[in-house]
Amino acid sequence: MDKIALGSKTPKDGFRNEYFVIDIFNNWKKETLAQEWLKTMGYKIEEIENVRAQKIKGSYKADVQVVISIQIKLQKLQDIQNLQVKLVSNPQGFNQIDKRWLKSYVDLWSIPEDVIEILRYFIGEIKPNIQNPRDERRMFFDEFSQEDQNKILEFFRENQPLILNDILKGRGQFASEWF
């Protein structure tokens, strides 16, 4: 399969996977997989009255929202869970989990100017400034000076919890609680 066809197939398979998860949750009474997921989320199956899953539309980290209706001691309660569904689509297991531009990360994490410059070379916004780069379009991490490598590593180490949270979970109403 050529790269263009694969590039088209990968997101389609991902959407198919999201709808698979939605269907499983919406048939929770019959689907043991949904019941296992609900138990993992901390619910008692016998207390659940209804489960409704739907696709979240828009640019949010969560792909699926599941609304669980529960009856506890004469009280009807609703709980909402946001899920992020990922499909591992290649044998090496490499998948892009976040597709934002560098500018949006700069705004989210207050990246210092010197680190932004290094990242711009890394992602190919700026052509390599070294002789004989492995790739004419960008620089690899080990092609930077030790000082620049340390700047990058220090920034990511200092901001690791925030970065991981934003990339994996997201922020706000549709932040993902489950993956």
Side-chain angles (χ1 to χ4, degrees), residues 49-83:
E49 285 190 342
N50 189 40
V51 174
R52 187 182 84 254
Q54 62 189 14
K55 174 87 175 93
I56 296 176
K57 299 196 183 328
S59 298
Y60 301 104
K61 292 310 283 183
D63 301 308
V64 174
Q65 187 170 74
V66 181
V67 178
I68 300 105
S69 301
I70 306 168
Q71 175 82 35
I72 301 177
K73 296 183 182 175
L74 303 176
Q75 270 191 326
K76 287 186 185 230
L77 305 171
Q78 268 195 347
D79 197 18
I80 296 174
Q81 300 289 338
N82 294 324
L83 289 76

Side-chain angles (χ1 to χ4, degrees), residues 9 19 21 32 34-35 40 45 55 62 64 67 70 103 114 122 126 130 137 141 143-144 151 168-169 172 174:
K9 181 182 182 321
Y19 286 106
V21 170
T32 56
Q35 292 171 17
T40 299
I45 300 302
K55 174 87 175 93
V64 174
V67 178
I70 306 168
K103 168 96 175 86
D114 57 342
F122 180 75
I126 302 175
I130 58 171
R137 300 168 298 172
F141 190 74
E143 292 178 311
F144 291 106
K151 284 180 188 177
L168 295 175
K169 184 178 178 179
F174 295 113

Side-chain angles (χ1 to χ4, degrees), residues 110-149:
S110 303
I111 303 175
E113 284 298 323
D114 57 342
V115 174
I116 295 168
E117 174 101 5
I118 299 165
L119 291 173
R120 291 182 71 211
Y121 282 107
F122 180 75
I123 64 172
E125 280 186 11
I126 302 175
K127 301 287 182 219
N129 64 353
I130 58 171
Q131 289 191 349
N132 302 318
R134 260 183 273 163
D135 187 326
E136 296 296 324
R137 300 168 298 172
R138 62 174 287 243
M139 290 176 65
F140 288 86
F141 190 74
D142 63 354
E143 292 178 311
F144 291 106
S145 69
Q146 191 61 52
E147 180 184 350
D148 285 348
Q149 289 179 34

